[in-house]
Each structure stands twice: as C-alpha cells, then as structure tokens.
Amino acid sequence: MIHHTVDHSSTHLSAEDLAALRENLHEQRRFRQEQLDRLARPVTPRPGARGPRQAAAQIEVRVELAASARMVLTDVEAALRRMAEGSYGGCHLCRRPVERERLMIVPQARYCARCQQVKETAP
C-alpha cells in the first residue's frame, strides 16, 4: 500500500500569499481588459501589406487573440469571485487544496496539478 502525505507548507496560503495572488489577479484582469480594448479597434493595414489576403490573416489572428484573452479574463474573474466567497484554492475535481506553488504561477488555477494532468490527458 502506498501512502501519500500532503506537505501542508506546499498547500497552505498565508494572508500575504492571498494578498499577492489577489493583486496578481487584478493586474491580469487589467491587462486582459486593455488587450481586448486594443483588439476591438479597427484593423489598420501594416505598411507594406500585400492586399486583402494579408488583412484577412491579420483579422483572423486578432479574433484568436481576443478569444484567448476573453477565456483568461473569465478564469481570472472566476478566481477573484472564489477569493471573495472564501472558496479560493480548492481543486474543483478532488476538493483538495491546489498546491501553493501552482497558484503562485497560475493564480487562476481551478485544479490541482494531478487533476489538471488528468483533464488534459482525458479523451
């Protein structure tokens, strides 16, 4: 039988950790909102652009960037709501704490590293 022990220093979030994570999330939210504002502006052809084909490609890239920014913004806002509700830092699948180190890197993470890996490899 294999026993797994949880190192509480790797899962516990101090008040200072939460404050830093909250500030990071607010910063990410501001960045994504500014990014979406920039991407919503009309496309101006680059100097030396080669016609409608290149303009269409530029629009396609902007659409993809905006979709990605909206997705991250949604995740960031959800993390801020979880903080406000007091449920921040719990894995949405296994209900264990998300590793502190993981949250410091990806503060909007919804899953612990193990569950994230399972989600990514599931068909």
Side-chain angles (χ1 to χ4, degrees):
M1 179 194 272
I2 298 173
H3 292 283
H4 293 283
T5 59
V6 175
D7 176 9
H8 290 288
S9 67
S10 71
T11 59
H12 177 72
L13 293 173
S14 69
E16 293 82 16
D17 290 338
L18 284 171
L21 289 163
R22 185 177 291 108
E23 180 55 36
N24 184 311
L25 288 164
H26 282 293
E27 191 175 306
Q28 283 191 53
R29 180 169 59 185
R30 282 188 296 273
F31 173 80
R32 294 302 175 180
Q33 288 169 334
E34 289 169 5
Q35 183 183 28
L36 286 168
D37 289 344
R38 283 191 311 274
L39 290 168
R41 295 181 192 143
V43 175
T44 54
R46 292 183 185 159
R50 294 182 225 119
R53 204 172 196 189
Q54 191 170 12
Q58 195 176 358
I59 290 169
E60 186 177 335
V61 167
R62 289 171 67 107
V63 167
E64 291 296 322
L65 286 172
S68 177
R70 277 191 297 277
M71 185 174 72
V72 172
L73 182 58
T74 299
D75 288 345
V76 165
E77 289 176 341
L80 287 166
R81 275 193 305 279
R82 290 191 303 275
M83 275 188 172
E85 296 164 355
S87 62
Y88 180 78
C91 178
H92 284 219
L93 288 178
C94 71
R95 304 294 182 217
R96 292 187 193 129
V98 176
E99 301 82 2
R100 178 185 179 279
E101 294 78 16
R102 178 167 168 71
L103 290 171
M104 291 300 184
I105 296 167
V106 186
Q108 68 270 25
R110 295 174 191 246
Y111 308 105
C112 67
R114 186 178 136 273
C115 289
Q116 182 68 45
Q117 186 176 15
V118 168
K119 281 188 64 61
E120 289 174 1
T121 58

